[in-house]
Amino acid sequence: MLVRHGQTEWSANGRHTSRTDLDLTGAGVRQAEALRPVLAGRKLVAVLSSPRRRALRTADLAGLPVSTVDEDLVEWDYGEYEGLTTPEIRTTRPDWSLWTDGCPGGESPEQVGPRLDRVLDRVRPLLADGDVALVSHGHALRVLGARWVEQPVAFGARLGLDTATLSELGFEHHMESIRSWNAPVA
C-alpha cells in the first residue's frame, strides 16, 4: 500500500519539494486524518516511511505506526530545482522533463530508480506475512509504482498522484500489478 503525504504549502503551489522539510498545511492535516478510518481495519506487518516531517506526520495522523524510517523513501532530489515549479524551470529549459532529464545538482532517473528498487527488494520478503504500507512523496511513489510493474522510471510520468491518496500494489496471477491508484479518501 502506498500512502502519499498530505498537502504542504509547496505541494499546493506545485513547487518541487525534496530536501526542504515542510510540515502539513491545515488542509494536509485534515487529509491525513481522513486516512485513519480507511486504514483502521488493515492488518499491516510493517509501515515504512520517509524521514521527512510531512510523511511522518501523515503516518501518525493516519494511525500508521511507523516500524522503519527509510532514507530510500525520500522524494526525488530536485537539486537546483528545489522550490521551483515546472513552468519556472521551463523558462530556461523549455523541453525539460523530470522523468527523462532529472535535475542538475540532484538525482537523475538512473539514480532514483535503483534507490526505490532497493525499497521494493526490502519489502517483497515481508509480503509473505501480510500487507506493508509505504508513506512517501509524489514522484518517489510514482517511481515505485512504475518499478513494481517492471517499467522504466519514465513510466511514472503517466501515474498522477494527489496528496493523501492511497494506491495499492499487488499481484494478478503471480505477476506484480497495480490494484488501485490515486484513490481519494474523502
Side-chain angles (χ1 to χ4, degrees):
M1 176 179 306
L2 307 181
V3 180
R4 183 174 176 200
H5 66 76
Q7 181 192 75
T8 67
E9 179 184 342
W10 284 16
S11 68
N13 296 320
R15 295 170 69 182
H16 290 84
T17 318
S18 55
R19 292 167 288 164
T20 304
D21 203 9
L22 299 175
D23 202 350
L24 302 177
T25 62
V29 167
R30 290 186 295 279
Q31 290 174 331
E33 290 171 339
L35 292 166
R36 184 179 285 268
V38 175
L39 297 170
R42 299 294 297 251
K43 181 183 182 293
L44 300 170
V45 296
V47 176
L48 286 68
S49 177
S50 160
R52 301 292 187 255
R53 183 179 340 167
R54 57 197 181 270
L56 290 168
R57 186 136 187 244
T58 296
D60 181 56
L61 293 169
L64 295 172
V66 173
S67 52
T68 304
V69 174
D70 192 329
E71 287 288 334
D72 282 339
L73 280 171
V74 296
E75 179 60 293
W76 195 314
D77 186 343
Y78 301 122
E80 295 172 22
Y81 294 159
E82 180 80 4
L84 299 178
T85 65
T86 297
E88 289 171 333
I89 296 164
R90 288 187 176 156
T91 62
T92 57
R93 289 189 64 190
D95 296 329
W96 176 77
S97 168
L98 172 68
W99 302 99
T100 55
D101 301 325
C103 301
E107 286 182 297
S108 69
E110 295 77 23
Q111 292 169 310
V112 77
R115 173 168 61 83
L116 292 163
D117 285 345
R118 288 192 302 264
V119 173
L120 293 175
D121 290 343
R122 286 192 291 276
V123 166
R124 278 187 179 94
L126 301 174
L127 296 175
D129 296 325
D131 291 339
V132 174
L134 305 177
V135 185
S136 187
H137 313 275
H139 287 124
L141 291 174
R142 291 165 70 178
V143 172
L144 275 169
R147 302 301 298 143
W148 179 257
V149 294
E150 300 178 0
Q151 294 300 307
V153 168
F155 183 78
R158 301 185 182 277
L159 299 173
L161 194 60
D162 298 322
T163 53
T165 54
L166 300 176
S167 299
E168 190 168 348
L169 307 178
F171 299 91
E172 180 72 24
H173 302 292
H174 305 289
M175 290 188 65
E176 287 88 353
S177 67
I178 296 175
R179 307 291 293 166
S180 67
W181 191 262
N182 199 33
V185 175

